[in-house]
Amino acid sequence: MVTGRLCWVPLLLVLGVGSGSGGGGGGSRRRRLLASKVNKHKPWIETSYHGVITENNDTVILDPPLVALDKDAPVPFAGEICAFKIHGQELPFEAVVLNKTSGEGRLRARSPIDCELQKEYTFIIQAYDCGTGPQETAWKKSHKAVVHIQVKDVNEFAPTFKEPAYKAVVTEGKIYDSILQVEAVDEDCSPQYSQICNYEIVTTDVPFAIDRNGNVRNTEKLSYDKQRQYEILVTAYDCGQKPAAQDTLVQVDVKPVCKPGWQDWTKRIEYQPGSGSVPLFPSIQLETCDGAVSSIQITTELQTNYIGKGCDRETYSEKSLQKLCGASSGIIDLLPSPSAATNWTAGLLVDSSEMIFKFDGRQGAKIPDGVVPKNLTDQFTITMWMKHGPSPGVRAEKETILCNSDKTEMNRHHYALYVHNCRLVFLLRKDFDQADTFRPAEFHWKLDQICDKEWHYYVINVEFPVVTLYMDGATYEPYLVTNDWPIHPSHIAMQLTVGACWQGGEVTKPRFAQFFHGSLASLTIRPGKMDSQKVISCLQACKEGLDINSLESLGQGIKYHFNPSQSVLVMEGDDIGNINHALQKVSYINSRQFPTAGVRRLKVSSKVQCFGEDVCISLPDVDAYVMVLQAVEPQITLHGTDRIWRPTAQFESTKGVTLFPDIKIVSTFTKAEDPGDLKTTAPKPAVFEEMLHNLDFCDILVLGGDLDPKQECLELNHSELHQRHLDATNSTAGYSIYGVGSMSRYEQVLRHIRYRNWRPAALEARRFRIKCSELNGRYTSNEFNLEVSVLHEVRVSDKEHVNHLIVQPPFLQSVHHPESQTSIQRSSVVPSIATVVIIISVCMLVFVVAMGMYRVRIAHQHFTQESEAAKEAEMDWDDSSLTITVNPMEKHGAPGRGEDETEEEEEEEDLSSSSSDSEGSGEEEEEDGVGRGRHGQSGARQAQLEWDDSTLPY
């Protein structure tokens, strides 16, 4: 086999050479003949191929693989595959031979394949062998095979909505299968990535849903009143779960159906203190949906039962309120503010802002002896505010409000006011007298308001044997009156209590019993007097309520009615236009200068009647509220001279020493900054503005120990109080002025407070403190302190006296301290007596020179000094031994306040106060000017002591 091949090859070579040496035409024929004998067969490939290529990739996966076979193998060149050729125009593919011997090839992309441009390709491919030699001659090609290539998609594109926003309008109260349809598309080529498989609502807590086709529907009935427009965001997902690049906005407007009701009103109404009457619904209108309405009744209710004692009332003390309402004097407050003088309420639970005392069934208060007379007359009045609920348990015990019982030994109740099973009971056991008979003793009232947990004002007027109850201004007679025997007289002391009854006898240990559960305020008793209906109405009147602006503009056919407290207004009419106009005039008013801030609820209910129809329209209630804003808080300031010195004679005089001759009461508030000023970053000082308001008490307290009534006291003429409608109480601890009055009235009264001391020689100094209040301590002033000292006397010779008067010694230099708003401090440096004598001797030389000029002046003033000396009752001089009173702490050069000046000022103030109850700003300035003029004209006389020049040697 080998030998034969070796023999065959040389033969071929020989044949080739021989043919080559012959002619050219013969050689070509011979080569073709040789090639046909060597490259006998065509390459073979499959008839069709299916391929897949992933876009943006260059590798094509064919099925079956690209392989060409040639039967001429293993003959070199003839049996090898040299190329694969693709037939088609501008095809992005090429076929390459991987192995010539095995015929394996590969189909690949010449450029990036994009499925979105073309999803599949079909073309023809042929395989070529290598022919007869390396010169690529006599190649043979295979048959044509069809290649079909599909491009595999990549999810490179996100869904996009056809519209950036969708809008729809729906009618309220309906459920829709489809409100609108949103649609998104995907630019990917394959069905998997180009189709939208899901839609989703991104916005949470909305009453909408969406299906896979993009249909939006509502899941519940929509309400125009609740929300008029919805804005929701929707996204889409392709089947590859790729979300949309940007969500689309779906806006759904809710269209109201014609529904009867009130329109164009706001839920919140703000009220600025001091605004007067503010309309509540200035634009409100009634929509009847063309209903045939014959008449309509509107009830507007202001709900204030959670404010204070049922509404916003003045929070002055009960005594001040009684004074304001014109009640007769003699009221005794059994639940006063805790203080040193009224300490029996100190242990009770209290709401200090309203002076409301809360009783939890475990506490009571003992009224000290002497506060209330032991035996009340046949006429007296008990008043109180009470809030009380149902008693716990089936058989509730008595709940004592007020009780006067035996302190020891026995357990008799002389009079009592209590609640039992939601009944108010008043017990009055009269003492035994000449007639030993049954008498009315228990008076019972059964009222729903006693246990409704609301505030009510109760007045029990006793005119024995008749007892009348007034509740919230209405009169109620007892439904049951029981009689009892009189109480026999005894020497057992009685104990008056509040919140429980004192059980002093028939028990091992005296204790409280029959505790009260509820809240009380302004519990008072007035012996010997009865309140009138007018006073009772004034005491329980609210300072806030409903109002109607311009009653004349209500229109014809409108009927209206207020309840006594003006918290309920009922209006009725038959014309819708007039009804709208009338409700627009309803307003809120609060007459307090410093109202209680907070919410007041409003409710407007309507009743409609139609023309002969069984079914009439129904109007929903209007629920709104008034927000009372916080009032500006005043800063009350007292200022004046905080230290004075007076001679002993003035302390001993009948007029005494005026303590506060120049007291001033000023109230200011911080002015709010202009919003435009907030742009500046530099800090600005606070701006204060003065404001006017009332005061309800000023207390003058004695510091450093109580007054000794045997030698000192505080005095004030009652006429000064009465003409200014104020009252006062005096004790060794101080002086208390109370009553609702202007600040100027309190100023005038305080300027007339006098201090007397019959033994001033032993007195070094007395200190006093003033503190004033508005609204029963809600706003208080600063504490103004005053120190009163006694001037001491020093005796010197006549010559020294004369020289002292002529030339003021140079060592009397004033030492000034900074002055503040509340105090002016003065102090001087005073040398010893020896130094005074030496310096006065030196000054005698100056006296000789100045005497000539001074004598002319003395002659001119001599007559004036004699006339003024007659007015100075406390400044009598002896020519033989002149007495000089030296003020060791007075400023040199500032005129001191002598007794004559004090008396002159008191006379001027008495004249001024008798001519006018209040001082205007102009009058005060005029008085200040007169005072300055008087000081300027007589400054030398007041700075130096008066003396008689008739005996002086010239």
Side-chain angles (χ1 to χ4, degrees), residues 196-200 210-212 235-238 241:
I196 305 301
C197 284
N198 191 25
Y199 292 91
E200 182 179 309
I210 190 170
D211 60 16
R212 299 183 63 179
T235 190
Y237 294 90
D238 60 19
Q241 294 304 308

Side-chain angles (χ1 to χ4, degrees), residues 152-155 157 186 188-197 237-242:
K152 185 178 181 182
D153 190 19
V154 175
N155 195 3
F157 293 99
D186 197 313
D188 288 313
C189 65
S190 64
Q192 179 182 4
Y193 299 137
S194 64
Q195 292 183 359
I196 305 301
C197 284
Y237 294 90
D238 60 19
C239 294
Q241 294 304 308
K242 190 168 189 174

Side-chain angles (χ1 to χ4, degrees), residues 732-796:
T732 58
Y735 216 102
S736 180
I737 305 169
Y738 61 90
V740 180
S742 64
M743 291 184 290
S744 62
R745 289 186 180 182
Y746 271 88
E747 277 184 5
Q748 295 167 14
V749 172
L750 289 174
R751 290 174 182 175
H752 288 83
I753 295 289
R754 303 185 306 274
Y755 171 67
R756 294 181 61 193
N757 194 311
W758 299 278
R759 300 173 185 174
L763 178 66
E764 292 185 1
R766 258 298 185 189
R767 296 175 59 239
F768 302 92
R769 175 178 295 166
I770 303 180
K771 189 174 183 179
C772 296
S773 158
E774 164 65 340
L775 295 177
N776 202 22
R778 179 177 173 183
Y779 305 112
T780 57
S781 70
N782 63 313
E783 295 180 348
F784 176 72
N785 296 323
L786 170 70
E787 183 172 329
V788 182
S789 301
V790 180
L791 288 176
H792 298 283
E793 296 181 352
V794 179
R795 294 197 175 264
V796 296

Side-chain angles (χ1 to χ4, degrees), residues 891-949:
K891 285 184 178 180
H892 176 62
R897 305 183 66 88
E899 181 188 79
D900 55 336
E901 180 187 353
T902 304
E903 293 176 356
E904 289 173 5
E905 289 180 355
E906 289 178 350
E907 291 173 3
E908 291 174 4
E909 290 174 358
D910 291 338
L911 291 175
S912 174
S913 62
S914 62
S915 61
S916 174
D917 286 346
S918 62
E919 294 181 356
S921 60
E923 294 175 356
E924 291 177 356
E925 293 175 358
E926 183 178 354
E927 289 179 5
D928 292 342
V930 173
R932 287 192 294 269
R934 183 174 66 248
H935 291 313
Q937 294 173 3
S938 59
R941 176 179 60 83
Q942 293 177 351
Q944 302 173 2
L945 297 177
E946 296 294 338
W947 56 283
D948 187 359
D949 60 350

Side-chain angles (χ1 to χ4, degrees), residues 868-886:
E868 293 184 33
K871 299 179 182 179
E872 301 171 354
E874 306 299 333
M875 300 293 292
D876 295 333
W877 305 98
D878 186 1
D879 295 339
S880 61
S881 179
L882 187 62
T883 301
I884 300 176
T885 303
V886 180

Side-chain angles (χ1 to χ4, degrees), residues 560-618:
Y560 68 92
H561 172 71
F562 283 102
N563 68 334
S565 62
Q566 287 193 212
S567 61
V568 178
L569 170 62
V570 180
M571 294 189 296
E572 187 175 355
D574 53 9
D575 183 79
I576 301 300
N578 289 340
I579 284 291
N580 289 337
H581 185 70
L583 191 55
Q584 292 170 4
K585 295 294 181 180
V586 177
S587 60
Y588 169 82
I589 188 171
N590 194 316
S591 60
R592 294 189 64 191
Q593 186 176 8
F594 306 104
T596 303
V599 172
R600 275 73 163 166
R601 296 189 183 94
L602 277 171
K603 182 178 181 182
V604 179
S605 56
S606 309
K607 293 182 180 179
V608 180
Q609 292 184 355
C610 299
F611 290 100
E613 296 184 7
D614 296 335
V615 179
C616 195
I617 62 175
S618 176

